[in-house]
Amino acid sequence: MRLMLMRHGIAEDAGPDTGYRDEPRALTAEGRALMERAAQGLRTLGIETSLVLCSPLARCRETAEIVGAAVGVDPVEDARLRPGMELDDLAEALMRHPGADRVLVCGHNPDLPHAVADLTGGGSVAFRKGTLAILDVDAVAPRGGRLRALYPPAALRAIGGP
């Protein structure tokens, strides 16, 4: 399976507008604009996916909608991808879609770098907001995958053009 892990874009701080809660934090205008440029980078790279999965938190769902529009796939929310996701949660979410061989998962820090470290048996990688990691995964288990590419958000935006 080709597994792509992407961290959500820049979101508003928890404050009066969100009732000081984490879940409703939406992308900022800047975060949305930067993710749209990064999504152009995905399109330029020819990234193809059969499934876009995302955490149900607002900032993640919005990021997945932007990315999904770029790759022509409507995102599917999965509560297992909420902050605190473990490798077993990711495996369970993926098992719900047995025919999907190219999956993009939009999630959170520090869950995504931990997943990359677990899957590859390597150290943690930096996941700035909007980072994309591409892995080839034989099994969603420790040392079950290989990191193929890591695109920082600025690189995706540069690939997408001005």
Side-chain angles (χ1 to χ4, degrees), residues 73-156:
V73 177
D74 291 331
V76 176
E77 290 182 22
D78 193 306
R80 287 173 283 253
L81 305 177
R82 297 174 61 81
M85 175 195 80
E86 305 254 342
L87 192 58
D88 289 343
D89 299 318
L90 177 60
E92 288 177 19
L94 293 169
M95 284 190 302
R96 293 264 196 200
H97 308 276
D101 61 342
R102 293 178 167 273
V103 181
L104 190 145
V105 173
C106 181
H108 304 275
N109 230 13
D111 308 335
L112 297 178
H114 289 167
V116 170
D118 290 346
L119 287 166
T120 63
S124 185
V125 295
F127 257 85
R128 295 178 57 88
K129 292 174 182 161
T131 294
L132 175 71
I134 302 176
L135 300 100
D136 287 334
V137 175
D138 299 321
V140 184
R143 297 182 181 260
R146 293 162 308 286
L147 182 63
R148 305 301 292 173
L150 183 67
Y151 292 98
L156 285 175

Coordinates of all heavy atoms in Angstrom, one line a residue, residues 73-156:
V73 N -10.9 13.3 -4.7 CA -11.4 12.3 -3.8 C -12.0 13.0 -2.6 O -11.4 13.8 -2.0 CB -10.3 11.3 -3.3 CG1 -10.9 10.3 -2.3 CG2 -9.7 10.6 -4.5
D74 N -13.3 12.7 -2.3 CA -13.9 13.2 -1.1 C -13.4 12.6 0.1 O -13.3 11.4 0.2 CB -15.5 13.0 -1.2 CG -16.1 13.8 -2.3 OD1 -15.6 14.9 -2.6 OD2 -17.2 13.3 -2.8
P75 N -13.1 13.4 1.1 CA -12.5 12.8 2.4 C -13.5 12.1 3.2 O -14.7 12.4 3.2 CB -12.0 14.1 3.1 CG -12.7 15.2 2.5 CD -13.1 14.9 1.2
V76 N -13.0 11.2 4.0 CA -13.8 10.4 4.9 C -13.3 10.6 6.3 O -12.1 10.4 6.5 CB -13.8 8.9 4.6 CG1 -14.6 8.0 5.6 CG2 -14.3 8.6 3.1
E77 N -14.1 11.0 7.3 CA -13.7 11.2 8.6 C -13.6 9.9 9.4 O -14.4 9.0 9.1 CB -14.7 12.1 9.4 CG -14.6 13.5 8.9 CD -15.6 14.4 9.8 OE1 -16.0 14.0 10.9 OE2 -16.0 15.4 9.2
D78 N -12.6 9.8 10.3 CA -12.5 8.6 11.1 C -12.1 9.0 12.5 O -11.0 9.6 12.6 CB -11.6 7.5 10.5 CG -11.7 6.2 11.2 OD1 -11.6 6.2 12.4 OD2 -11.9 5.2 10.5
A79 N -12.9 8.8 13.5 CA -12.6 9.2 14.9 C -11.3 8.6 15.4 O -10.7 9.2 16.3 CB -13.8 8.9 15.8
R80 N -10.8 7.5 14.9 CA -9.6 6.9 15.3 C -8.4 7.8 15.0 O -7.3 7.6 15.6 CB -9.4 5.5 14.7 CG -10.3 4.5 15.3 CD -10.2 3.2 14.6 NE -10.9 3.3 13.3 CZ -12.1 2.7 13.0 NH1 -12.6 1.9 13.9 NH2 -12.7 2.9 11.9
L81 N -8.5 8.7 14.1 CA -7.4 9.6 13.7 C -7.4 10.9 14.5 O -6.5 11.8 14.2 CB -7.6 9.9 12.2 CG -7.7 8.7 11.3 CD1 -7.8 9.1 9.8 CD2 -6.4 7.8 11.4
R82 N -8.2 11.0 15.5 CA -8.1 12.2 16.4 C -6.8 12.3 17.1 O -6.0 11.3 17.1 CB -9.2 12.0 17.5 CG -10.6 12.0 17.0 CD -11.6 11.7 18.2 NE -11.5 12.7 19.2 CZ -12.1 13.9 19.1 NH1 -12.9 14.2 18.1 NH2 -12.0 14.8 20.1
P83 N -6.4 13.4 17.7 CA -5.2 13.5 18.4 C -5.1 12.4 19.5 O -6.0 12.0 20.1 CB -5.3 14.9 19.1 CG -6.1 15.7 18.2 CD -7.2 14.7 17.7
G84 N -3.8 11.8 19.5 CA -3.6 10.6 20.4 C -3.6 9.3 19.6 O -3.5 8.3 20.2
M85 N -3.8 9.4 18.3 CA -3.8 8.2 17.4 C -2.5 7.4 17.6 O -1.4 7.9 17.7 CB -3.9 8.6 16.0 CG -3.8 7.5 15.0 SD -3.5 8.0 13.3 CE -1.7 8.3 13.3
E86 N -2.7 6.1 17.8 CA -1.6 5.2 17.9 C -1.5 4.4 16.5 O -2.5 4.4 15.8 CB -1.8 4.2 19.0 CG -2.0 5.0 20.3 CD -0.8 4.9 21.2 OE1 0.0 4.0 21.0 OE2 -0.7 5.7 22.2
L87 N -0.5 3.6 16.3 CA -0.4 2.8 15.1 C -1.5 1.8 15.0 O -2.0 1.6 13.9 CB 1.0 2.1 15.1 CG 1.4 1.5 13.8 CD1 1.4 2.5 12.7 CD2 2.7 0.8 13.9
D88 N -2.0 1.2 16.1 CA -3.1 0.3 16.0 C -4.4 1.0 15.5 O -5.2 0.5 14.8 CB -3.4 -0.3 17.4 CG -2.4 -1.4 17.7 OD1 -1.6 -1.8 16.8 OD2 -2.3 -1.7 18.9
D89 N -4.6 2.3 15.9 CA -5.7 3.1 15.5 C -5.7 3.3 14.0 O -6.7 3.2 13.3 CB -5.8 4.4 16.2 CG -5.9 4.3 17.7 OD1 -6.7 3.4 18.2 OD2 -5.3 5.1 18.4
L90 N -4.5 3.6 13.5 CA -4.3 3.8 12.1 C -4.6 2.5 11.3 O -5.3 2.6 10.3 CB -2.9 4.3 11.8 CG -2.5 4.5 10.3 CD1 -3.4 5.5 9.6 CD2 -1.0 4.9 10.2
A91 N -4.1 1.4 11.8 CA -4.4 0.1 11.2 C -5.8 -0.2 11.1 O -6.4 -0.6 10.1 CB -3.6 -1.0 11.9
E92 N -6.6 0.1 12.2 CA -8.0 -0.2 12.2 C -8.7 0.7 11.2 O -9.7 0.3 10.6 CB -8.5 0.0 13.6 CG -8.1 -1.1 14.6 CD -8.6 -0.8 16.0 OE1 -9.6 0.0 16.2 OE2 -8.1 -1.4 16.9
A93 N -8.3 2.0 11.2 CA -9.0 2.9 10.2 C -8.8 2.4 8.8 O -9.7 2.4 8.0 CB -8.4 4.3 10.4
L94 N -7.6 2.0 8.5 CA -7.3 1.5 7.1 C -8.0 0.2 6.8 O -8.4 0.0 5.7 CB -5.7 1.3 7.0 CG -5.0 2.6 7.0 CD1 -3.5 2.4 7.1 CD2 -5.3 3.5 5.8
M95 N -8.2 -0.7 7.8 CA -8.8 -2.0 7.6 C -10.3 -1.8 7.2 O -10.9 -2.6 6.5 CB -8.8 -2.9 8.8 CG -7.4 -3.5 9.0 SD -7.3 -4.8 10.3 CE -7.8 -3.9 11.7
R96 N -10.9 -0.6 7.5 CA -12.3 -0.3 7.1 C -12.4 -0.2 5.6 O -13.5 -0.1 5.1 CB -12.7 0.9 7.8 CG -12.9 0.8 9.3 CD -14.3 0.5 9.5 NE -14.6 0.7 10.9 CZ -15.6 0.1 11.5 NH1 -16.4 -0.7 10.8 NH2 -15.9 0.3 12.7
H97 N -11.3 0.0 4.9 CA -11.2 0.2 3.5 C -10.3 -0.7 2.8 O -9.2 -0.3 2.3 CB -10.8 1.7 3.2 CG -11.6 2.7 4.0 ND1 -12.9 3.1 3.6 CD2 -11.4 3.2 5.2 CE1 -13.4 4.0 4.5 NE2 -12.5 4.0 5.5
P98 N -10.6 -2.0 2.7 CA -9.7 -3.0 2.3 C -9.2 -2.9 0.8 O -8.2 -3.3 0.4 CB -10.4 -4.3 2.5 CG -11.9 -4.0 2.6 CD -11.9 -2.6 3.1
G99 N -10.0 -2.2 0.0 CA -9.6 -2.1 -1.4 C -8.8 -0.9 -1.7 O -8.3 -0.7 -2.8
A100 N -8.6 0.0 -0.7 CA -7.8 1.2 -0.9 C -6.3 0.9 -0.9 O -5.8 0.4 0.1 CB -8.1 2.2 0.1
D101 N -5.6 1.1 -2.0 CA -4.2 0.8 -2.1 C -3.3 2.1 -2.1 O -2.1 2.0 -1.9 CB -3.9 0.0 -3.3 CG -4.2 0.7 -4.6 OD1 -5.0 1.7 -4.6 OD2 -3.7 0.3 -5.7
R102 N -4.0 3.2 -2.2 CA -3.2 4.5 -2.1 C -4.1 5.4 -1.2 O -5.1 5.9 -1.6 CB -3.1 5.2 -3.5 CG -2.2 4.4 -4.4 CD -2.1 5.0 -5.8 NE -1.0 4.5 -6.6 CZ 0.2 4.9 -6.5 NH1 0.5 5.9 -5.8 NH2 1.1 4.3 -7.2
V103 N -3.6 5.6 0.0 CA -4.4 6.3 1.0 C -3.7 7.5 1.5 O -2.5 7.4 1.9 CB -4.8 5.4 2.2 CG1 -5.6 6.1 3.2 CG2 -5.5 4.1 1.7
L104 N -4.3 8.6 1.6 CA -3.8 9.8 2.2 C -4.5 10.1 3.5 O -5.8 10.1 3.5 CB -4.0 11.1 1.3 CG -3.2 12.3 1.7 CD1 -2.7 13.1 0.5 CD2 -4.1 13.2 2.6
V105 N -3.8 10.2 4.6 CA -4.3 10.4 5.9 C -4.0 11.7 6.4 O -2.8 12.1 6.4 CB -3.8 9.3 6.9 CG1 -4.3 9.6 8.3 CG2 -4.3 7.9 6.5
C106 N -4.9 12.5 6.8 CA -4.7 13.9 7.3 C -4.9 13.8 8.8 O -5.9 13.4 9.3 CB -5.7 14.9 6.7 SG -5.4 16.6 7.3
G107 N -3.8 14.1 9.5 CA -3.8 14.0 11.0 C -3.1 15.0 11.7 O -2.9 16.1 11.2
H108 N -2.6 14.7 12.9 CA -2.1 15.6 13.9 C -0.6 15.3 14.3 O -0.2 14.2 14.2 CB -3.0 15.6 15.1 CG -4.4 15.9 14.8 ND1 -4.9 17.2 14.7 CD2 -5.4 15.1 14.5 CE1 -6.2 17.2 14.3 NE2 -6.5 15.9 14.3
N109 N 0.0 16.3 14.9 CA 1.3 16.1 15.6 C 1.0 15.8 17.1 O 0.0 16.3 17.6 CB 2.1 17.4 15.5 CG 3.5 17.3 15.0 OD1 3.8 16.2 14.5 ND2 4.3 18.3 15.2
P110 N 1.7 14.9 17.7 CA 2.9 14.2 17.3 C 2.6 12.8 16.7 O 3.4 12.0 16.5 CB 3.7 14.1 18.6 CG 2.6 13.9 19.6 CD 1.5 14.8 19.2
D111 N 1.3 12.6 16.5 CA 0.9 11.2 16.0 C 1.5 10.8 14.7 O 1.9 9.7 14.5 CB -0.7 11.2 15.9 CG -1.4 11.6 17.1 OD1 -0.8 11.6 18.2 OD2 -2.5 12.1 17.0
L112 N 1.6 11.7 13.7 CA 2.1 11.4 12.4 C 3.6 11.1 12.4 O 4.0 10.0 11.9 CB 1.8 12.5 11.4 CG 0.3 12.7 11.1 CD1 0.0 13.8 10.1 CD2 -0.4 11.4 10.6
P113 N 4.4 11.9 13.1 CA 5.8 11.5 13.1 C 6.1 10.2 13.9 O 6.9 9.4 13.6 CB 6.5 12.7 13.8 CG 5.5 13.6 14.3 CD 4.2 13.2 13.6
H114 N 5.2 10.0 14.9 CA 5.4 8.7 15.6 C 5.0 7.5 14.7 O 5.6 6.5 14.8 CB 4.5 8.7 16.9 CG 4.9 9.6 18.0 ND1 4.2 9.9 19.1 CD2 6.1 10.2 18.2 CE1 4.8 10.7 19.9 NE2 6.0 10.9 19.3
A115 N 4.0 7.7 13.9 CA 3.6 6.6 13.0 C 4.7 6.3 12.0 O 5.0 5.2 11.7 CB 2.3 7.0 12.2
V116 N 5.3 7.4 11.5 CA 6.4 7.2 10.5 C 7.6 6.4 11.2 O 8.1 5.5 10.7 CB 6.9 8.5 9.9 CG1 8.2 8.3 9.2 CG2 5.9 9.2 9.0
A117 N 7.9 6.9 12.4 CA 9.0 6.2 13.2 C 8.6 4.7 13.5 O 9.5 3.8 13.3 CB 9.2 6.9 14.5
D118 N 7.4 4.5 13.8 CA 7.0 3.1 14.1 C 7.0 2.2 12.8 O 7.5 1.1 12.8 CB 5.6 3.0 14.7 CG 5.5 3.6 16.1 OD1 6.5 3.7 16.8 OD2 4.3 3.8 16.6
L119 N 6.5 2.8 11.8 CA 6.4 2.0 10.5 C 7.8 1.7 9.9 O 8.0 0.7 9.3 CB 5.5 2.8 9.5 CG 4.0 2.7 9.8 CD1 3.3 3.8 8.9 CD2 3.5 1.3 9.5
T120 N 8.7 2.7 10.1 CA 10.0 2.5 9.4 C 11.1 1.9 10.4 O 12.1 1.5 9.9 CB 10.5 3.8 8.9 OG1 10.7 4.8 10.0 CG2 9.5 4.4 7.9
G121 N 10.8 2.0 11.7 CA 11.8 1.6 12.6 C 12.9 2.6 12.8 O 13.9 2.3 13.4
G122 N 12.7 3.8 12.3 CA 13.7 4.8 12.3 C 13.3 5.9 13.4 O 12.4 5.7 14.2
G123 N 14.0 7.0 13.3 CA 13.8 8.1 14.3 C 12.6 8.9 13.8 O 12.0 8.7 12.7
S124 N 12.2 9.8 14.6 CA 11.1 10.7 14.3 C 11.5 11.7 13.2 O 12.7 12.1 13.1 CB 10.7 11.5 15.6 OG 9.6 12.3 15.3
V125 N 10.6 12.1 12.4 CA 10.8 13.1 11.4 C 10.0 14.4 11.8 O 9.0 14.3 12.5 CB 10.4 12.6 10.0 CG1 11.2 11.5 9.5 CG2 8.9 12.2 10.0
A126 N 10.4 15.5 11.3 CA 9.7 16.8 11.6 C 8.5 16.9 10.7 O 8.5 16.7 9.5 CB 10.6 18.0 11.3
F127 N 7.4 17.2 11.4 CA 6.1 17.4 10.7 C 5.5 18.8 10.9 O 4.7 19.0 11.8 CB 5.1 16.3 11.1 CG 4.8 15.2 10.2 CD1 5.7 14.1 10.2 CD2 3.8 15.2 9.3 CE1 5.5 13.0 9.4 CE2 3.6 14.1 8.4 CZ 4.5 13.1 8.5
R128 N 6.0 19.7 10.2 CA 5.4 21.1 10.3 C 4.0 21.0 9.7 O 3.7 20.0 9.0 CB 6.3 22.1 9.4 CG 7.7 22.2 10.0 CD 8.5 23.2 9.2 NE 7.9 24.5 9.0 CZ 8.1 25.5 9.8 NH1 8.8 25.4 10.9 NH2 7.5 26.7 9.6
K129 N 3.2 22.0 9.9 CA 1.9 22.0 9.4 C 1.9 22.0 7.9 O 2.5 22.9 7.3 CB 1.1 23.2 10.0 CG 0.9 23.1 11.5 CD 0.3 24.3 12.1 CE 0.2 24.1 13.6 NZ 0.0 25.3 14.3
G130 N 1.3 21.0 7.3 CA 1.2 20.9 5.9 C 2.3 19.9 5.3 O 2.3 19.7 4.1
T131 N 3.1 19.3 6.2 CA 4.1 18.3 5.7 C 3.4 17.1 5.2 O 2.4 16.6 5.7 CB 5.0 17.9 6.9 OG1 5.8 19.1 7.3 CG2 6.0 16.8 6.5
L132 N 4.0 16.5 4.2 CA 3.6 15.2 3.6 C 4.7 14.2 3.6 O 5.8 14.4 3.1 CB 3.1 15.4 2.1 CG 2.7 14.2 1.3 CD1 1.4 13.6 1.8 CD2 2.6 14.5 -0.2
A133 N 4.4 13.0 4.2 CA 5.3 11.9 4.1 C 4.6 10.8 3.3 O 3.4 10.5 3.4 CB 5.5 11.3 5.5
I134 N 5.4 10.2 2.4 CA 4.9 9.1 1.5 C 5.7 7.8 1.9 O 6.9 7.8 1.9 CB 5.1 9.4 0.0 CG1 4.4 10.7 -0.3 CG2 4.6 8.3 -0.8 CD1 4.6 11.2 -1.7
L135 N 4.9 6.8 2.2 CA 5.5 5.5 2.6 C 5.0 4.4 1.8 O 3.8 4.4 1.3 CB 5.2 5.2 4.1 CG 5.7 6.2 5.1 CD1 4.5 7.1 5.5 CD2 6.2 5.5 6.3
D136 N 5.8 3.4 1.5 CA 5.3 2.1 1.0 C 5.2 1.2 2.2 O 6.2 1.0 2.9 CB 6.3 1.5 0.0 CG 6.3 2.3 -1.3 OD1 5.3 2.9 -1.6 OD2 7.4 2.3 -2.0
V137 N 4.0 0.6 2.4 CA 3.7 -0.1 3.6 C 3.3 -1.5 3.2 O 2.3 -1.7 2.5 CB 2.6 0.6 4.4 CG1 2.2 -0.3 5.6 CG2 3.0 2.0 4.8
D138 N 4.0 -2.5 3.7 CA 3.6 -3.9 3.6 C 2.6 -4.3 4.6 O 1.7 -5.1 4.4 CB 4.9 -4.8 3.6 CG 5.9 -4.5 2.5 OD1 5.4 -4.2 1.4 OD2 7.1 -4.5 2.8
A139 N 2.8 -3.8 5.8 CA 1.9 -4.1 7.0 C 1.9 -2.9 7.9 O 3.0 -2.3 8.1 CB 2.4 -5.3 7.7
V140 N 0.7 -2.5 8.4 CA 0.6 -1.4 9.3 C 1.0 -1.9 10.7 O 0.1 -2.2 11.5 CB -0.8 -0.7 9.3 CG1 -0.8 0.5 10.2 CG2 -1.1 -0.4 7.8
A141 N 2.3 -2.1 10.8 CA 2.9 -2.7 12.1 C 4.3 -2.1 12.2 O 4.9 -1.6 11.2 CB 2.9 -4.2 11.9
P142 N 4.9 -2.3 13.4 CA 6.3 -1.8 13.5 C 7.2 -2.4 12.4 O 7.1 -3.6 12.1 CB 6.7 -2.3 14.9 CG 5.4 -2.3 15.6 CD 4.4 -2.8 14.6
R143 N 8.0 -1.5 11.8 CA 8.9 -1.8 10.7 C 8.2 -2.4 9.5 O 8.8 -3.1 8.7 CB 10.0 -2.8 11.2 CG 10.8 -2.2 12.3 CD 11.9 -3.1 12.7 NE 12.7 -2.5 13.8 CZ 13.9 -2.0 13.6 NH1 14.4 -1.9 12.4 NH2 14.6 -1.4 14.6
G144 N 6.9 -2.1 9.3 CA 6.2 -2.6 8.2 C 6.2 -1.7 6.9 O 5.5 -2.0 6.0
G145 N 7.0 -0.6 7.0 CA 7.0 0.3 5.8 C 8.3 0.9 5.6 O 9.3 0.8 6.4
R146 N 8.4 1.6 4.5 CA 9.6 2.3 4.1 C 9.2 3.8 3.7 O 8.3 3.9 2.9 CB 10.3 1.7 2.9 CG 10.9 0.3 3.2 CD 11.2 -0.5 2.0 NE 10.1 -0.7 1.0 CZ 9.0 -1.4 1.2 NH1 8.8 -2.1 2.3 NH2 8.1 -1.5 0.3
L147 N 10.0 4.7 4.2 CA 9.7 6.1 3.8 C 10.2 6.3 2.4 O 11.4 6.1 2.1 CB 10.4 7.0 4.8 CG 10.2 8.5 4.6 CD1 8.7 8.9 4.8 CD2 11.1 9.3 5.6
R148 N 9.4 6.8 1.5 CA 9.8 7.0 0.1 C 10.1 8.5 -0.1 O 10.9 8.8 -0.9 CB 8.6 6.6 -0.8 CG 8.2 5.2 -0.7 CD 9.3 4.2 -0.9 NE 9.7 4.2 -2.3 CZ 10.7 3.6 -2.8 NH1 11.5 2.8 -2.0 NH2 11.0 3.6 -4.0
A149 N 9.3 9.4 0.5 CA 9.6 10.8 0.3 C 9.0 11.6 1.5 O 8.1 11.1 2.2 CB 8.9 11.3 -0.9
L150 N 9.6 12.7 1.8 CA 9.1 13.6 2.8 C 9.2 15.0 2.2 O 10.2 15.5 1.8 CB 10.0 13.5 4.0 CG 9.6 14.4 5.2 CD1 8.3 13.9 5.8 CD2 10.7 14.4 6.3
Y151 N 8.0 15.7 2.1 CA 7.9 17.0 1.6 C 7.5 18.0 2.6 O 6.4 18.0 3.1 CB 6.8 17.0 0.5 CG 7.2 16.2 -0.8 CD1 6.7 14.9 -0.9 CD2 8.0 16.8 -1.8 CE1 7.0 14.2 -2.1 CE2 8.3 16.0 -2.9 CZ 7.8 14.8 -3.0 OH 8.1 14.0 -4.2
P152 N 8.4 18.9 3.0 CA 8.0 20.0 3.9 C 7.0 20.9 3.2 O 6.9 20.9 1.9 CB 9.3 20.7 4.1 CG 10.4 19.8 3.7 CD 9.8 18.9 2.6
P153 N 6.2 21.6 3.9 CA 5.1 22.4 3.3 C 5.7 23.4 2.3 O 5.1 23.6 1.2 CB 4.4 23.1 4.4 CG 5.3 22.9 5.6 CD 6.2 21.7 5.4
A154 N 6.8 24.0 2.6 CA 7.3 25.0 1.6 C 7.7 24.4 0.3 O 7.6 25.0 -0.8 CB 8.6 25.7 2.3
A155 N 8.2 23.1 0.4 CA 8.5 22.4 -0.9 C 7.3 22.1 -1.7 O 7.3 22.3 -2.9 CB 9.3 21.1 -0.6
L156 N 6.2 21.7 -1.0 CA 5.0 21.4 -1.8 C 4.4 22.7 -2.4 O 4.0 22.7 -3.6 CB 3.9 20.9 -0.8 CG 4.1 19.4 -0.4 CD1 3.0 19.0 0.6 CD2 4.0 18.5 -1.6

